[in-house]
Amino acid sequence: MVVIRLKSKQGMSRLELDDEMTIAELQQLISDRCHVPVRKQRLSFAKERPAKHELTDTKITIGMLDLQPGAFLFMDYDGNVAPPEAALAPPPAARPEPRAAPRPAARPAPSYGGRGNGSNQMSMADLGCDSGA
């Protein structure tokens, strides 16, 4: 078993591959994980993807390639591919607006000196302290 890194337009993924796995099985694994149809996949071990490095023989096994752990496999494909879940989601405009949490009712601020003495200054009674205790 060898772990390789698959780099594509979608980002990077780690794949655990068995030595007996064929390129055709690898392509199916990539299709299942990345939602890129096998017919659109172009796999290569070279970033610039010259034709001589492209994996076209689907009968070759991973063991025949003598891959080192952490090797990069590059995948290119035409167009954009979205996972099936994204296709089923409603468009952003059709989604309901999230509900805002209800706010507590506003209360007027206490008035200082509101004990009928006509004073504008805060007293110990306004703070809830009894000065006579």
Side-chain angles (χ1 to χ4, degrees):
M1 176 158 304
V2 66
V3 177
I4 66 166
R5 294 176 280 185
L6 175 69
K7 183 121 171 99
S8 70
K9 295 177 190 179
Q10 298 172 344
M12 190 166 359
S13 302
R14 288 172 34 125
L15 300 174
E16 292 182 13
L17 308 177
D18 189 36
D19 288 340
E20 305 304 316
M21 181 183 278
T22 64
I23 298 301
E25 292 168 333
L26 170 62
Q27 287 178 313
Q28 187 57 51
L29 175 68
I30 292 170
S31 178
D32 294 342
R33 288 240 185 118
C34 301
H35 309 286
V36 177
V38 172
R39 62 180 160 52
K40 286 189 170 188
Q41 297 176 19
R42 289 187 304 275
L43 303 175
S44 172
F45 288 107
K47 189 173 186 177
E48 282 75 33
R49 202 178 47 81
K52 67 180 180 178
H53 294 289
E54 199 165 314
L55 296 174
T56 55
D57 187 353
T58 57
K59 293 181 175 93
I60 293 177
T61 65
I62 299 301
M64 296 166 106
L65 296 172
D66 194 31
L67 297 175
Q68 299 299 312
F72 276 97
L73 176 64
F74 297 93
M75 177 178 65
D76 193 18
Y77 54 89
D78 294 324
N80 294 325
V81 179
E85 300 87 40
L88 299 176
R95 291 185 181 144
E97 290 294 321
R99 289 185 167 189
R103 291 184 160 180
R107 296 185 334 207
S111 61
Y112 301 123
R115 305 255 181 244
N117 62 6
S119 170
N120 284 349
Q121 296 187 0
M122 185 181 291
S123 68
M124 293 303 279
D126 290 328
L127 295 173
C129 299
D130 288 16
S131 57

